Amino acid sequence: MRGTHSRILTTVVALLALQLGSLVAPAYACGCGAMIPDKAERIGVDREESAVRWDGRTETVVMRFYVHGNARRAAWVMPVPGRADVRLGDPALFDELDRLAEPEQRDRPYFWPREGDWPFDGDHGDGAAAAPPGAGSGVGVVGRERLGPFDVARLTATDPDALGHWLRANGFELPERLTGALRPYVERKWEYVAVRLAPQEKDATLHGELTPLRIAFPSPELVYPMRLSRLARTPQDLGLHVLAEHRMEPRSPIGGDRPEVTFAGLIERPEGAVAELAGDRPVRLTVLEQRFPHPERIDDDHHLRAVADTPYREVEYTDRLMTVGGGVPVWLLTVGGGLLLLVPCAVPLAVRGKRRRSGKDAGVRSPA
């Protein structure tokens, strides 16, 4: 008994330590870099979505984050291969893209009643159920602007250490280990968009859906920066909506689960926020979902390539009991009809059997 109590106590202490650690440790998250709160605060990204438009010369990324925590400020860095133009994005964009890529709805009939159908619950309905489905040394400041909740600095750098020092000296609280992660981009002479998120309301925290941020830059290929996400402390979920001339897919999973295409198709007449991003000419939309259970394994950026323009749309099935005539189950008609057909055959057989038994009884004499 003492051994059992000891094991229970050990388990409880371990769980409490785990919960306490999750409260005091900052949550790093962001598909394009490390989102870091101020000390003693925490922030987590529930989901990151990006819409990417590439016309063969210029790439435009519109990013939307859903965050939680108690942070009043946070910062992240996005490396880009060329000079960036930064502005606020249209919040309606992702809703419009979701409508264009929503799954096709189909009914899937079934014959025999299931749980929830009559006679198992007394309900005479059809019982539908959905199927699962300033610069420092080595750093140049291109510009710095305030855009809604964002303080944005556009930078160049020839030394990753100098870049890290500049960021921290100018209010971008980022971890020391970010310096090493930036080195590959410095060597390739990329530029940087450093972003501080701070609510415009005094003492407000970063919570829920943040205003989208739109970043455009020249690029000879479609690339989505991901390498800095290896700094993340928690698993990452990435949703990419890619608008290009052809269906586009990543060249490799770069350390995450295999990317999944949930939609691929031609948008013949873009409208609204989609047309503002992609123009009003026909464009192909590819929607990708990917999970990174172990962010530390991320070893590259996403390089996307054109593949065959095969259309694809997910299908969501709703299982429905087969009925006719205003809701009468087909199985009931079938079984009942079969029984009715058996009655004319069963009655003569029963009569004939009775006669045979009567005849046998008549021929038997009782002993004297």
Side-chain angles (χ1 to χ4, degrees), residues 80-161:
V80 292
R83 184 60 47 87
D85 174 74
V86 185
R87 64 185 72 177
L88 294 179
D90 189 339
L93 174 63
F94 292 94
D95 293 335
E96 293 181 15
L97 290 173
D98 287 343
R99 283 194 294 270
L100 290 170
E102 64 185 4
E104 179 182 350
Q105 302 295 323
R106 293 183 188 176
D107 285 348
R108 181 164 53 192
Y110 60 91
F111 183 78
W112 291 111
R114 302 176 180 176
E115 183 179 357
D117 297 324
W118 183 87
F120 299 113
D121 71 345
D123 183 3
H124 296 273
D126 61 6
S137 176
V139 178
V141 179
V142 176
R144 189 166 183 178
E145 303 88 18
R146 175 77 186 196
L147 301 172
F150 304 106
D151 173 13
V152 180
R154 292 173 292 141
L155 309 170
T156 64
T158 57
D159 179 354
D161 292 311

Side-chain angles (χ1 to χ4, degrees), residues 13 65 195 211 217 354:
V13 170
F65 299 100
V195 181
T211 305
F217 48 87
K354 184 176 182 181

Side-chain angles (χ1 to χ4, degrees), residues 2-157:
R2 289 182 178 178
T4 301
H5 288 164
S6 178
R7 287 194 295 270
I8 293 174
L9 181 59
T10 301
T11 301
V12 170
V13 170
L15 290 173
L16 287 173
L18 179 62
Q19 291 296 321
L20 182 59
S22 67
L23 289 174
V24 300
Y28 304 97
C30 176
C32 61
M35 185 175 288
I36 314 298
D38 286 354
K39 295 177 181 179
E41 295 182 341
R42 58 188 178 90
I43 189 172
V45 176
D46 298 313
R47 178 169 174 79
E48 172 197 351
E49 290 181 308
S50 290
V52 182
R53 166 59 173 155
W54 186 62
D55 60 8
R57 299 178 305 276
T58 302
E59 181 174 340
T60 304
V61 179
V62 183
M63 315 180 72
R64 178 172 70 172
F65 299 100
Y66 294 87
V67 303
H68 67 271
N70 64 353
R72 288 168 295 176
R73 291 175 297 276
W76 53 269
V77 177
M78 180 175 178
V80 292
R83 184 60 47 87
D85 174 74
V86 185
R87 64 185 72 177
L88 294 179
D90 189 339
L93 174 63
F94 292 94
D95 293 335
E96 293 181 15
L97 290 173
D98 287 343
R99 283 194 294 270
L100 290 170
E102 64 185 4
E104 179 182 350
Q105 302 295 323
R106 293 183 188 176
D107 285 348
R108 181 164 53 192
Y110 60 91
F111 183 78
W112 291 111
R114 302 176 180 176
E115 183 179 357
D117 297 324
W118 183 87
F120 299 113
D121 71 345
D123 183 3
H124 296 273
D126 61 6
S137 176
V139 178
V141 179
V142 176
R144 189 166 183 178
E145 303 88 18
R146 175 77 186 196
L147 301 172
F150 304 106
D151 173 13
V152 180
R154 292 173 292 141
L155 309 170
T156 64

Side-chain angles (χ1 to χ4, degrees), residues 119-194:
F120 299 113
D121 71 345
D123 183 3
H124 296 273
D126 61 6
S137 176
V139 178
V141 179
V142 176
R144 189 166 183 178
E145 303 88 18
R146 175 77 186 196
L147 301 172
F150 304 106
D151 173 13
V152 180
R154 292 173 292 141
L155 309 170
T156 64
T158 57
D159 179 354
D161 292 311
L163 179 57
H165 291 324
W166 188 96
L167 289 168
R168 284 183 284 274
N170 285 271
F172 295 84
E173 295 291 337
L174 298 167
E176 293 288 344
R177 60 198 183 100
L178 177 69
T179 299
L182 288 170
R183 189 172 301 278
Y185 297 111
V186 174
E187 292 174 351
R188 285 185 283 173
K189 296 181 172 56
W190 280 34
E191 298 190 4
Y192 311 90
V193 177

Side-chain angles (χ1 to χ4, degrees), residues 343-354:
V343 168
C345 300
V347 170
L349 290 175
V351 172
R352 189 179 305 170
K354 184 176 182 181

